[in-house]
Amino acid sequence: MTRSTPLLGILFLFLISLTSSPGAEPFFQGVKPCESCHTAELEVWEGTVHAKSYKTVHKSEQAAELLAAVGSETSMKRDPLCISCHFSLRQKTAKSKPKAKAGPSCESCHGPSSDWIDLHNDYGDFDSAEAEPAEHKNQRLASAESAGLIGAFNLFGIASNCASCHGLSRPDIEGESLAAMFANGHPLNQQFELVEYSQGSVRHRFYPPNLESNAELDAPGLSRLFLIGKAAQLVAAEQAIAIAPEGDYKKTQLAIAKAARASLMLANSNSAVAAFLSNPDHNSGRALAESIKNVDLSPLVGGSLPDPTNYR
Ligand code: HEC
Ligand code: HEC
Ligand code: HEC
Ligand code: HEC
């Protein structure tokens, strides 16, 4: 952001006060607000099934059957149930009408941006990211985080988003609806594993100092990601179990929870993993990710990592 005169600054604050009412729900703004700065990440995303499915998924026969099964009388791109996992909304202001404009995108994993984008964008008195001192950058990213950005520093938060969409277990959707979709053949992949699914087409790791290169994760990083993925899966499955009606959907969630626990048990000698297993929820999951940040758990779980040729 360039420097503005004080008058413009006041006008800006005034406009902000008009568009954001305090306490309102954060909303999605689509990929547009990210494009100018994150071209490398955008290019990766455009190559994923997430981006490409926008043009195809709603046309399938299976989509029509599923809509009928949940009693929906509209198209997939207008049905709130389908939208929450298959599409990302774009909304200009808190009051304008949201529209499904893309497949799952930046905000599906990093959180709706209405409350954090202006903090995240703001290089303060510096003209560019390159000119911005580290201290300012860290402060900027931290204030965006407290306003809802789920950044790369919060892998458990991101993994929870993957686990809820891919585990058919969204806290904002009723258990009856999820079970009905499942009963009518909606996929629920019990084999979803975070390393396999995140280190292929989805991977974007353009970190300083080499911002040009999409870096591969090292072995300790992969092992941590494996465990964080299992932890997020366990929390999502238990949350689904709590609201699921009796039946096959619930049985499948029980099986997912059991398998995730078994994988985590491999690293139960680590006290943070053991603490998480004794009380698995969002807070303990985040605490787990934080405490293993610099720990190499590959001697315990390395043998369970997927073969890189299987990365999606
Ligand atoms: C004005 C430029 C700008 C815009 C617009 C922007 N970002 Fe960023 N973002 C940055 C910079 C600079 C960094 C720090 C990169 C680095 O040096 O690691 C960053 C970092 C991030 C990170 C990693 C944060 C962390 O600490 O791990 C995420 C995630 C992110 N941006 C997501 C987004 C998303 C999603 C959007 C759109 C809703 C967006 N950004 C819009 C400039 C921008
Ligand atoms: C809780 C999240 C979630 C909800 C809600 C959801 N889906 Fe899905 N859907 C997914 C995921 C994740 C996949 C991919 C599964 C995989 O391949 O592992 C998928 C796959 C599909 C597929 C097969 C993939 C394809 O490209 O053909 C169809 C069709 C589909 N969903 C239709 C729907 C319809 C219609 C609705 C609304 C009635 C809906 N889904 C609601 C998460 C969801
Ligand atoms: C499917 C989930 C997902 C989507 C979609 C997604 N991200 Fe990310 N993003 C992640 C994960 C996971 C990481 C952490 C990567 C790591 O450190 O291993 C990350 C890291 C980042 C980072 C820090 C690393 C880097 O490349 O600089 C930025 C910036 C970022 N994402 C921006 C974006 C933008 C912009 C979009 C949309 C164009 C986007 N992300 C879409 C999951 C996602
Ligand atoms: C908002 C919900 C949502 C989130 C969050 C999400 N996904 Fe997805 N993902 C989907 C849907 C829906 C599909 C299937 C699209 C289709 O086939 O039509 C999909 C498909 C994929 C595919 C392609 C599947 C294949 O069989 O090749 C990969 C890989 C993937 N997701 C990885 C991830 C990872 C890793 C994360 C987290 C870092 C993540 N997704 C987060 C909804 C989501």
Side-chain angles (χ1 to χ4, degrees), residues 10 18 42 54 63 105 110 134 138 155 165 167 179 184 196 231-233 243 251:
I10 289 164
L18 284 184
L42 190 78
Y54 180 72
S105 67
H110 294 298
N138 293 338
L155 284 176
C165 284
N184 285 282
E196 180 187 333
Q233 228 169 355
I243 60 165
K251 280 189 200 145

Side-chain angles (χ1 to χ4, degrees), residues 193-204 217 225 312:
E193 188 281 306
L194 189 56
V195 172
E196 180 187 333
Y197 274 71
S198 68
Q199 298 307 298
S201 55
V202 170
R203 187 186 83 227
H204 48 286
L217 257 179
L225 195 62
R312 306 265 171 164

Side-chain angles (χ1 to χ4, degrees), residues 20-142:
S20 60
S21 40
E25 285 284 301
F27 57 88
F28 293 85
Q29 308 189 97
V31 293
K32 269 233 146 32
C34 324
E35 280 174 1
S36 54
C37 302
H38 291 298
T39 44
E41 289 82 3
L42 190 78
E43 206 173 293
V44 167
W45 172 74
E46 282 170 344
T48 62
V49 171
H50 287 149
K52 292 179 188 163
S53 62
Y54 180 72
K55 293 216 168 102
T56 54
V57 63
H58 58 294
K59 294 180 184 157
S60 69
E61 207 169 296
Q62 198 191 358
E65 286 165 16
L66 283 163
L67 282 164
V70 295
S72 174
E73 290 176 353
T74 181
S75 69
M76 203 174 155
K77 284 185 182 169
R78 289 173 192 266
D79 186 278
L81 179 62
C82 315
I83 287 176
S84 52
C85 294
H86 281 271
F87 304 115
S88 23
L89 293 170
R90 176 154 161 72
Q91 184 176 347
K92 291 219 172 88
T93 69
K95 292 207 177 86
S96 55
K97 206 173 158 202
K99 281 220 171 105
K101 286 286 195 191
S105 67
C106 319
E107 294 169 294
S108 311
C109 291
H110 294 298
S113 63
S114 61
D115 289 349
W116 58 258
I117 189 76
D118 292 329
L119 300 166
H120 180 78
N121 278 351
D122 187 2
Y123 300 139
D125 287 342
F126 311 96
D127 284 338
S128 66
E130 294 73 36
E132 181 188 34
E135 196 188 335
H136 189 275
K137 176 177 132 184
N138 293 338
Q139 236 166 43
R140 174 167 64 83
L141 293 176

Side-chain angles (χ1 to χ4, degrees), residues 40-41 130 205-214:
E41 289 82 3
E130 294 73 36
R205 308 188 71 254
F206 299 92
Y207 288 112
N210 192 353
L211 295 170
E212 309 282 295
S213 116
N214 191 358

Side-chain angles (χ1 to χ4, degrees), residues 146-214:
S146 39
L149 166 66
I150 306 172
F153 43 78
N154 181 4
L155 284 176
F156 182 81
I158 300 180
S160 295
N161 285 334
C162 317
S164 60
C165 284
H166 283 270
L168 217 58
S169 150
R170 300 258 312 194
D172 52 338
I173 300 178
E174 283 184 28
E176 301 284 346
S177 306
L178 296 165
M181 285 186 356
F182 182 72
N184 285 282
H186 188 285
L188 169 48
N189 179 3
Q190 295 186 50
Q191 261 65 54
F192 183 90
E193 188 281 306
L194 189 56
V195 172
E196 180 187 333
Y197 274 71
S198 68
Q199 298 307 298
S201 55
V202 170
R203 187 186 83 227
H204 48 286
R205 308 188 71 254
F206 299 92
Y207 288 112
N210 192 353
L211 295 170
E212 309 282 295
S213 116
N214 191 358

